[in-house]
Amino acid sequence: KNQIPDVIQHLVIITSHGSAAHHDMKHGINARWPDLKTTIIHSSVQGPDALIEIPLAFQKAISLNPDVIICGRGGGSETDLQVFNDEKVILPFIHTHIPIISAIGHESDNSVSDLVADMRAKTPTAAIEIAIKYTKQELLEKIKMKFEELQKEIEHFIHESENRVKDSQKHLYTTVSFNLNYMNTCANNKEIFMKESMDKIWEKGALCIQEK
C-alpha cells in the first residue's frame, strides 16, 4: 500500500461534476487548505458509461503525477455502486507509487475498489481529511511551535556556552594569578637569599682584611 504524504501539493479528484460528493469534497478542501492545487476530472460514477469513463479518468489523473488521487461518489443503491466491483474499474485503483483513495458511498457501503485501493474513506468528505492530513493553519502552528522550540534550544546553547567561557576565564585568571604569585614569591626568596649571601661574603672579606 502506498502511504499518504503528510503534506501534499497536488490533489486529483475523480467524481461526477456537480454531484453532492463533488460539492462536499470542494468544501472540505476550502476548509482545510484553500489554495491547494486541485484537479477535478469528471466521470460518470454509475451505469454503463462509468465502465469506460472511470478508467479513462484514471489514465488522465496518473499522467498528471499528483501526490494523491481520490475517486469518490455519494451513496446509492447496490446497483448504482456495482460498477466499483467491475474488473475494468477496480484495476486502475492499483498503482505503483501514487496513493489512491476509494471514497465510494457511505460508511455502510462496501465495494471491491475499497479493498484494492491504498486507503478506503467512509465518505467523500472523509477522503479529503485523509488526503489533507493537516489544515494549513494546523501546519503553520506546528512550524511556529517547532521554530520556538529551536529558538529556545539555541538560546540555551548560547547561555551555556557563555557560562563555560566565563568559567574558563575565571579558571585561567586563577591559574595565572597563582603562577604570578608563585613567581613573585620565588623572586623575593632569591633576592633575600642573594642579599644574605652578599652580606656573608662582605663579612668574610672584612674579617680577612682585619686579620692581615
Side-chain angles (χ1 to χ4, degrees), residues 175-208:
T175 302
V176 171
S177 297
F178 174 80
N179 289 334
L180 288 174
N181 289 334
Y182 177 75
M183 292 173 65
N184 287 332
T185 301
C186 290
N188 290 334
N189 290 338
K190 286 183 179 180
E191 185 179 351
I192 293 171
F193 176 76
M194 291 181 66
K195 185 176 181 182
E196 290 176 347
S197 298
M198 290 299 296
D199 289 343
K200 288 179 180 180
I201 292 171
W202 279 111
E203 287 177 359
K204 287 182 179 181
L207 182 62
C208 290

Side-chain angles (χ1 to χ4, degrees), residues 91-108:
L91 281 177
F93 277 84
I94 307 170
H95 196 263
T96 55
H97 70 277
I98 300 176
I100 296 174
I101 301 173
S102 175
I104 308 305
H106 297 135
E107 187 172 6
S108 58

